[in-house]
């Protein structure tokens, strides 16, 4: 699902992000009919996939193969679109340059940003709908010290939309961390948890100063909706 949001900008240097060429970060989740992943597993894997791309040498190193495209993407609206694939579609998507990240059972492949109207044909034909997933059991409480992406308990979103939102939240947390903390997180395999916040805790989370995703409202939910808070221990 598409879920654009505005990257932070300096009040002294306002940025008209809509006037710039728009890019999108494609994510493809593998959903086989007979064995779909659990919802929380897919959400966590999507967030880790975004972080894995941001930390990849092809993005971080001068002259990296993906560095210019990521910079152009971050200079406009930070759009992410989640599509689903199975069988031959998944295999063809895997032949394109990208990174496949696995969870407990989930598989998500993230690709370097592409122009909004310039998707590779192998990805453009994949469906956005049909990403509704369920958890077979209530996820356990996250381990102490683990970064947690807290979902708004009052919003209902498809799994695909929520995967984009958790990716946004993870990216906002990444931007706030210094190099040492980024390295530590990368060395852990970007360990994190995604959980739905308790209703009584959500207001405090949104007022905490932790990274907060506000959706542009182009799909599923109202503009300005607060969707995810990224609670990384280093940011408290």
């Amino acid at each position: 699902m598409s879920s654009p949001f505005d990257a932070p900008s300096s009040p002294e240097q306002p940025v008209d992000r809509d006037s710039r060429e728009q890019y999108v970060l494609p994510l493809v989740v593998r959903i086989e009919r007979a064995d779909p992943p659990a919802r929380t597993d897919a959400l966590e894997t999507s967030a880790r996939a975004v972080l894995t791309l941001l930390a990849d040498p092809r993005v971080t190193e001068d002259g990296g193969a993906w560095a210019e495209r990521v910079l152009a993407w971050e200079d406009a609206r930070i759009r992410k679109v989640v599509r689903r694939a199975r069988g031959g579609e998944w295999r063809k998507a895997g032949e394109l340059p990208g990174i496949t990240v696995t969870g407990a059972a989930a598989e998500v492949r993230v690709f370097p940003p592409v122009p909004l109207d310039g998707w590779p044909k192998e990805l453009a034909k994949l469906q956005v709908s049909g990403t509704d997933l369920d958890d077979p059991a209530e996820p356990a409480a996250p381990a102490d010290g683990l970064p947690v992406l807290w979902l708004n308990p009052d919003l209902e979103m498809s799994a695909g939309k929520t995967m984009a939102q958790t990716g946004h939240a993870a990216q906002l947390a990444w931007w706030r961390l210094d190099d040492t903390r980024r390295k530590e997180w990368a060395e852990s395999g970007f360990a994190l948890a995604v959980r739905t916040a308790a209703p009584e805790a959500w207001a405090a989370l949104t007022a905490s100063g932790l990274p907060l995703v506000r959706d542009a409202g182009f799909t599923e939910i109202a503009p300005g909706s607060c969707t995810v808070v990224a609670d990384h221990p280093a940011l408290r």
Side-chain angles (χ1 to χ4, degrees):
M1 308 296 285
S2 176
S3 187
F5 73 111
D6 284 327
S9 61
S10 167
E12 292 80 17
Q13 295 178 319
V15 175
D16 181 7
R17 299 185 183 281
D18 290 326
S19 68
R20 298 178 175 177
E21 183 178 5
Q22 299 296 303
Y23 283 75
V24 60
L25 186 78
L27 296 119
V28 176
V29 56
R30 184 179 186 181
I31 302 181
E32 301 289 348
R33 287 190 179 91
D35 192 23
R39 181 184 177 95
T40 296
D41 188 16
L43 300 181
E44 293 172 348
T45 305
S46 176
R48 291 175 50 240
V50 171
L51 292 166
T52 301
L53 179 130
L54 293 174
D56 192 277
R58 287 167 288 187
V59 173
T60 61
E61 293 181 357
D62 289 341
W66 300 344
E68 186 174 339
R69 274 188 282 173
V70 169
L71 181 60
W73 169 61
E74 291 181 339
D75 277 348
R77 284 183 177 265
I78 310 298
R79 298 173 184 259
K80 298 179 181 70
V81 172
V82 177
R83 297 177 184 263
R84 63 178 173 86
R86 61 172 62 98
E89 295 174 334
W90 175 255
R91 289 190 293 274
K92 289 180 180 178
E95 294 172 358
L96 297 176
I99 306 168
T100 297
V101 176
T102 59
E107 295 179 73
V108 175
R109 189 163 179 84
V110 60
F111 302 86
V114 298
L116 190 58
D117 297 320
W119 284 66
K121 64 181 185 299
E122 295 89 347
L123 302 182
K125 66 181 182 181
L126 299 178
Q127 293 188 5
V128 176
S129 61
T131 57
D132 291 326
L133 300 169
D134 296 310
D135 282 314
E138 186 73 19
D144 290 343
L146 192 67
V148 181
L149 309 180
W150 293 107
L151 305 177
N152 185 335
D154 298 321
L155 288 179
E156 291 188 8
M157 298 182 288
S158 68
K161 174 79 172 181
T162 313
M163 288 171 69
Q165 299 295 306
T166 59
H168 293 343
Q171 185 170 2
L172 290 178
W174 177 257
W175 281 346
R176 291 251 200 118
L177 296 175
D178 60 28
D179 290 343
T180 298
R181 297 296 189 179
R182 288 181 177 183
K183 183 179 179 181
E184 290 173 353
W185 205 6
E187 288 175 346
S188 76
F190 294 113
L192 55 82
V194 175
R195 297 291 186 270
T196 300
E200 62 272 16
W202 180 246
L205 283 167
T206 59
S208 66
L210 292 166
L212 169 65
V213 178
R214 293 182 184 272
D215 192 64
F218 292 162
T219 61
E220 297 193 26
I221 57 178
S225 296
C226 298
T227 59
V228 190
V229 171
D231 185 4
H232 192 293
L235 300 178
R236 294 175 189 165

